[in-house]
Amino acid sequence: MDIESSYNTFTLTVENSVAHLQFSRPDKLNSMNLDFWREFPAAIAGLSMTDDLRVLVISAQGPHFCAGMDLDVFQSPDNFPMGKEKARVSEAMRRFIMQLQQVFTDLEQLRVPVLTAIQGGCIGGALDLIAASDMRYCTQDAFFTIKEVELGITADLGTLQRLPSILPQGIVRELAYTGRNFSAAEADKFGLVNQVFETQEAMLDGVLQIASQIAAHSPLAVTGSKEMLNYSRDHGVDDSLKYMATWQAGMLCLEETMTILQAKKQRKAPELKPLRKVTGLFDS
């Protein structure tokens, strides 16, 4: 799969083991239209199978990061079936929502860190997306909105499930119930973002520098750290420690550790092998 092939809703490049996916519909506020829902999961699937990918950065062109779900998704009869058989219609609707949820779950479970760089509005579905990322950075003009409540909808793609592990419960509930804008200053204060930048250019430069720092480390150690952090978030300390011991027993590479130590003595960057390429079940 060529992950750098042409897309309608974003550009995707890979340089020095850092992938940069940038939303490219600023005239439409980078809203998540039908093309996005076809292209984004395909791109993430392609990235997940890449052997030397070490970091993914997601950013956006224009004054706003993303306005969330595009209206064309709601207007598609295939996505919102109608009919007299309520049980079958409801089953189809449930399955459709779970398919959308899986898109951001796949992003969250990508074996490399995902960094999001946010300017302007981060609304509705965009908040679902960044909640599934590892780290978030924003500009001073950024704002975050759980917009669904204003439309008579309960946010359903992960915001209400992931934000409570990032923000205080009271803050999440206030945002979910009111639909108000959550400012960059508040996001910084309560820990939604790692850092606030003055300009979009400075933010992107800073985030790409952080991505380069991550990419310079052992990809095996970094993916292990992500695996453990995600697991410990959803499990107790005792279970998490046992999983850590099991992981380390199988994944610790002392040969690579010695390579790193030797390179440090010589004051040079170590040559670190990429992770093994992921293939399909019966691919050669």
Side-chain angles (χ1 to χ4, degrees):
M1 179 182 291
D2 181 8
I3 60 173
E4 293 193 37
S5 58
S6 177
Y7 299 98
N8 294 321
T9 57
F10 52 80
T11 61
L12 179 59
T13 57
V14 181
E15 185 176 354
N16 298 324
S17 301
V18 176
H20 184 189
L21 188 154
Q22 188 171 56
F23 300 146
S24 59
R25 299 173 66 239
D27 57 321
K28 300 296 184 181
L29 305 180
N30 296 310
S31 59
M32 298 170 169
N33 63 1
L34 291 172
D35 280 345
F36 170 87
W37 291 108
R38 297 185 186 105
E39 294 177 345
F40 189 78
I44 297 304
L47 290 170
S48 72
M49 301 178 77
T50 304
D51 53 356
D52 197 26
L53 178 68
R54 302 192 183 187
V55 187
L56 169 61
V57 173
I58 298 178
S59 69
Q61 299 175 11
H64 295 284
F65 178 72
C66 177
M69 193 77 75
D70 195 286
L71 289 178
D72 69 352
V73 177
F74 294 105
Q75 294 169 350
S76 171
D78 292 336
N79 298 333
F80 292 89
M82 302 295 288
K84 295 181 180 179
E85 295 188 46
K86 184 179 185 305
R88 284 176 170 76
V89 170
S90 297
E91 187 279 332
M93 183 65 174
R94 177 178 183 270
R95 179 162 30 87
F96 171 65
I97 292 171
M98 290 176 67
Q99 288 175 316
L100 296 182
Q101 291 172 342
Q102 189 62 44
V103 172
F104 296 143
T105 296
D106 288 344
L107 179 67
E108 180 180 50
Q109 294 177 350
L110 191 67
R111 61 179 175 168
V112 303
V114 178
L115 286 60
T116 42
I118 305 141
Q119 77 281 356
C122 178
I123 300 166
L127 194 50
D128 294 305
L129 185 154
I130 70 159
S133 66
D134 291 88
M135 294 107 82
R136 294 155 291 276
Y137 303 84
C138 74
T139 55
Q140 292 178 341
D141 69 343
F143 62 92
F144 308 82
T145 311
I146 303 177
K147 195 72 172 177
E148 288 85 347
V149 70
E150 291 188 2
L151 304 176
I153 302 171
T154 300
D156 54 8
L157 300 187
T159 288
L160 302 183
Q161 291 70 36
R162 294 187 174 99
L163 276 191
S165 67
I166 303 169
L167 293 170
Q169 274 274 350
I171 297 298
V172 177
R173 289 169 185 267
E174 178 184 318
L175 298 176
Y177 301 160
T178 66
R180 74 170 180 85
N181 290 350
F182 189 62
S183 70
E186 289 178 292
D188 188 31
K189 176 182 177 182
F190 291 108
L192 178 61
V193 297
N194 291 47
Q195 188 175 347
V196 178
F197 293 85
E198 288 189 10
T199 67
Q200 186 174 346
E201 182 180 12
M203 173 182 64
L204 197 52
D205 287 344
V207 171
L208 289 173
Q209 285 181 23
I210 294 167
S212 295
Q213 282 183 286
I214 296 170
H217 294 305
S218 161
L220 188 60
V222 172
T223 196
S225 298
K226 176 166 182 173
E227 179 76 13
M228 291 307 118
L229 287 166
N230 282 354
Y231 186 90
S232 63
R233 177 198 60 196
D234 301 328
H235 297 79
V237 173
D238 188 54
D239 285 342
S240 298
L241 287 171
K242 289 176 181 176
Y243 184 35
M244 179 72 252
T246 303
W247 176 278
Q248 201 75 312
M251 308 295 181
L252 178 61
C253 182
L254 291 176
E255 179 183 339
E256 184 165 87
T257 300
M258 295 306 296
T259 298
I260 294 171
L261 292 175
Q262 188 65 28
K264 285 183 178 292
K265 287 183 180 180
Q266 299 174 356
R267 297 185 178 182
K268 65 178 186 180
E271 294 184 11
L272 301 172
K273 295 179 180 179
L275 296 173
R276 292 290 295 271
K277 183 177 180 180
V278 178
T279 61
L281 186 58
F282 297 110
D283 292 347
S284 58

